[in-house]
Structures are given as structure tokens and as C-alpha cells.
Amino acid sequence: MDKHTPLPTSLPAWLQLNIHQSKIERLHMRDLFAEDPERFQRFSVEACGLLLDYSKNRIVPETMELLLDLARQVELPCWIERMFSGSHINNTEDRAVLHVALRHGSDGALPEGDSDVMPAVQRVLEQMDTLTQAVESGTWRGHTGKRIRTIINIGIGGSDLGPVLAVEALERFHHEGMQAHFVSNLDSSQLNQALAQSDPESTLFLIVSKSFTTQETMCNAASAQSWLIQYLGDPTAVSSHFLAVTSKPELAMAFGIGPKSIFEMWDWVGGRYSLWSAVGLSIALMVGMKHFRGLLAGAHEMDKHFRTTPLERNLPVILGLLGIWYRNFFSAGSHAILPYDYALRTLPRWAEQVEMESNGKRVSRDGETVDYATCPVIWGASGNNGQHAFFQLLHQGTDLIPADFLAAIRCQEAWPGHEAALIANALAQSRSLMVGRTDEEMRRSLKESGLEGEALEAMLPFREYPGNQPSNTILYERLNPRVLGSILALYEHKVFVQGICWGINSFDQWGVELGKQVAKGLLRDIQSKQLERVRDGSTMGLMAYVRNKSKWDKK
Ligand code: F6P
């Protein structure tokens, strides 16, 4: 275990931030912009192909100074070094946290205990190279000799979301004639949908599970295997159609996958940080290793930026600290992620896991129950669609909801008129959320529309826009593998910064275990038709109801 770390609330910077918050809480960003013509220059940074404008936040220069003091007082630079040097910062599992090694390229050694992890990383990358080339060239074929045309990734959580996001985001780079499906849900409707669109003779299944015990994945993998054998009429067909990515090769072999078809991953890669490993095999098969390596290069660039850039110009540090500012000093309960780039439509779902599974903790690294808020609810959707769905709440709801706007200057596939309209909408939303509309402006506009007197006054409260809703804007030229890598690594490191500030271990996930155990027990009961075991009244009632309606007893 690490040395005892003081809770952040006891640090001088935290106390000063509290005092500072009460001084500036009533300031309106509209006025802050009016007073400081340099505000955009002061509060924006460019790095790794990304421009981060954080000027539309409820901050003044002193706020950033105090937040940076907090980062120093929690020893953030030292923790960053500890991560990169393979120290076991995942203390409850006694593991290093080295997803940065997966994209470290030929930039030297990265240690884990007494050894360097890089040779193993390179070995798996070469194995991925060989496989993707074999599939692309047609040397790897299905059991009946057909070329592989369909990839079905079976995995859940980190073994699904990152690959889904990247495969969608990089559609412009897909190999022609290849399609990918992702199956994660226990409800076999999702598997059926994928199978219905696939030809067993030309389908390659990737069974992706770090633990190789995850119920959803194992269940889907077994059904996919039966489907394949049923169609091809030969159990030996499995070897040409199934690959595994796992840190438990012995379990993959027991499932029937040969050692050469197993891609290794390691304890020091957390599931939600694993898309850079062979977990990203579906990405590599869809876009080729050149672009997969481009993705890694973009993430590595962000890693170097995070490790070496002074805190005040460090993108993940700034994003992380602003998140702390709203969560802990304005009690903001949620944070929205709003990509104005259709390619990034799954970014909010991916970020939900990275942020909430990492920092949704109520106990410090030392096991102390914390007396301050940690991870907010992360949510969002493609911004343009969100405008016509939930933005009403951002504009006129009762909560302070900080948001990240992400927008490409150039779209993926630009029809005339779309590109400019899309970016105009993104900028219009962040501006409207920030400035709102004063009573005076509203009066004027209602008058212009023909309203006056009592009717105008009655309408005013409904048409009021308070504004002062904070947001960050992240702009990039056009999404490509490299930019995508940088964006995803930016969010990973933002989570790291916040975990350090909150004094929690961002790399375990004990909270998900209880539900898994309870589900196992209930499944056993259902299978053995023993519903008498005493549980809470609600669960007993629901189980009895389900039993009466289902066909279990009749089987
Ligand atoms: O149950 C949560 C979790 O362990 C996630 O952390 C992980 O990404 C997911 O399940 C899948 O795990 P695995 O890759 O071991 O199947």
C-alpha cells in the first residue's frame, strides 16, 4: 500500500478554492469576457492537433492558479511519473497501470517490476500485423476457403466500447468490402442481428475478454460457436473462425481456441484502457495496421504532452481541474460530452465507462470514506441531435451542467452546406449557454416580434436565458486515426488527474462485483427451480412472478 495521503479537503489550496468560489460565484461570464479582451488567448491551449478553448468557464486567472496549486499539493507530477515508471499505483490489486506502454512505440523501455514491458507489447503488435496482413491478402481464409469479410467482436465494457467507438469513428478508413459487428449484450437479439447479416463461411469471431470469465461474453461466444458449427457442419471449423484476446490464455484454450490464435493482454492494462492492445484487433482488421498505429501514435503524442508539459498548459490537467472546480465547488452532479462530429457519436458512451468506472468511488486509496463528491454522472450524445432533445435542460433547467463541445473543422463526408452549418451550431450553442439573454435583450426581441404591455411581461420569465453555463470547446481539423488517439488519451489522462485530486484509486472496479455474484446466485436458483431461498421481499416477489409467466418449470 502507498504511504498515507491526506484527503484533498485538508489541503490549503482546497480551503482557498472554497473561499475563492464564494467570491466569484455570482460573476457572469458575459461580464468576464467584456472586462478581459484577452480572455480567449489567456484560456486556450493548442497541442497534439487539438485546440482547447476553456475561456467559457466560470473562472478568473486566480481560479486557475488555485486549481494548479491543488494539483501541486496532491503531487500530481509525481503521480504521473509513478504511472509511467510502472509503480503499482493500482494499490488494491497491486498492479502497475501501463496502458501508456501500448502506444509507446519505439520510445524506449517502460518497466514493470524488474522487466521492460515493451518487448511483449511489440510481440503482440507484430502478431496483429501478421494476422491483419493474412486477412487482407486472403492467406487467412475461412474453413471452406472463402475470404474473411465480416468481423464479429464479442466482448463487453472495455472489451467493446473502445473498439466500437474507433471502428465507427474511422469509417472513412475502412477496407472496402469488410464489415464489423459488435456483440456485447446478454439479450441474444444483438447476437442474432449480427449473425443474420453474416455469412458463416467468411466470418471471423474475436472473443475479447481480459478475464475470459465474463458471463455475457462467454454466453455469446458459446452461442456463436454453435451457430458456426451448425452451419459448417464441422467442429474443426472453429480454428479458422475464432480468435481470442485475453490475459487468461488457458481459459481461451479450454474454450477451443488454439494458442496461435490467442492474443495476449496483461494485468497492467485495465479493461477500459485497453483499446490500444489487441483488444483493438477489430479496429486493426477494419482499417489496417498502418492506421491502427496512427491511432497509437496520436495517443502517444498526448502521453508525452501529459508527462512533459507544464501543468498550466497541459490539456488533461486543465480539463481535469475544471471538472474538480464544478464538481466540488459548485456541486455540479453531471458533465455532458457533446461531439459535433457524427464519427464521435459513441464518445459519450465510451467516456461514461472510462470516467465513472474509474472514479465512481467513495473510499480513498487508503480506505478512508471520503467526505467530498467524486465522479459526476457523465452523459451526452451527438451534439446536433442533442439540441433537439435535451439541450432545453442545459439552457433553462435548474442545474449547473458543464459540457465539452468537440467539433471537427472539416467533416468526414461533406455535402455542400453541411460543414459550415454544423460548426455554426456547435459554436452557437456554447455561446448561448455562456451569454444567455438579459431581460433587456429579451424585451427588445419580444417587442420586435409584436408583443407589448402585459402580454410581453407575462412572457418574459419563460423566455429568459440565464446563461453562465460553462463549457470547454475542443476543435480539430478533421478526424483521423492520430487525432482520435489524442482525443481518447486526453480523456484517459483527465480521469487520472481527477483520481489523483480525489485521492482515489482510478484503476480498480470492485463496485461491479456484487451484482455479478447476486446474478450467479439467482441464475442457479432459476436453473434448479429453487425459488424458496429467502431473499428480500421484492426480489422474491419478482422471481415468483417471472416463474409464473415463464416456461422454466415446463422445460
Ligand atoms: O464488470 C466490469 C468489467 O470488468 C469492466 O471493467 C471490463 O471492461 C468488462 O467488465 C469486461 O471485462 P472482460 O474484458 O474481463 O470480459
Side-chain angles (χ1 to χ4, degrees), residues 156-159 209-211 214 217 271-272 353 357 509 512 516:
I156 197 165
S159 299
S209 176
K210 182 177 169 186
S211 60
T214 303
T217 303
R272 54 194 173 273
Q353 190 198 11
E357 197 170 51
Q509 58 283 317
V512 297
K516 289 184 192 172

Side-chain angles (χ1 to χ4, degrees), residues 201-266:
E201 292 177 71
S202 58
T203 296
L204 189 59
F205 290 94
L206 312 181
I207 313 303
V208 183
S209 176
K210 182 177 169 186
S211 60
F212 227 77
T213 54
T214 303
Q215 187 188 33
E216 293 85 344
T217 303
M218 292 305 107
C219 209
N220 280 320
S223 303
Q225 200 185 46
S226 317
W227 176 82
L228 187 92
I229 295 173
Q230 192 189 326
Y231 272 93
L232 299 184
D234 182 355
T236 63
V238 169
S239 62
S240 326
H241 293 269
F242 274 76
L243 302 174
V245 181
T246 184
S247 68
K248 296 280 185 283
E250 64 288 359
L251 298 183
M253 284 192 271
F255 179 85
I257 299 179
K260 288 205 176 118
S261 300
I262 298 174
F263 292 72
E264 193 187 357
M265 61 184 293
W266 308 271

Side-chain angles (χ1 to χ4, degrees), residues 70-84:
L70 177 68
R72 286 182 207 103
Q73 287 170 21
V74 295
E75 301 179 354
L76 177 63
C78 165
W79 281 100
I80 295 174
E81 267 324 294
R82 295 188 74 192
M83 170 168 73
F84 278 91

Side-chain angles (χ1 to χ4, degrees), residues 300-339:
H300 182 50
E301 202 183 340
M302 183 56 72
D303 295 340
K304 282 195 288 189
H305 168 82
F306 183 48
R307 192 176 185 184
T308 59
T309 309
L311 300 182
E312 60 276 15
R313 285 188 285 113
N314 194 309
L315 299 183
V317 172
I318 295 168
L319 277 193
L321 291 175
L322 288 168
I324 300 278
W325 178 231
Y326 295 115
R327 181 68 179 128
N328 296 105
F329 300 93
F330 283 84
S331 305
S334 82
H335 183 105
I337 297 187
L338 309 169

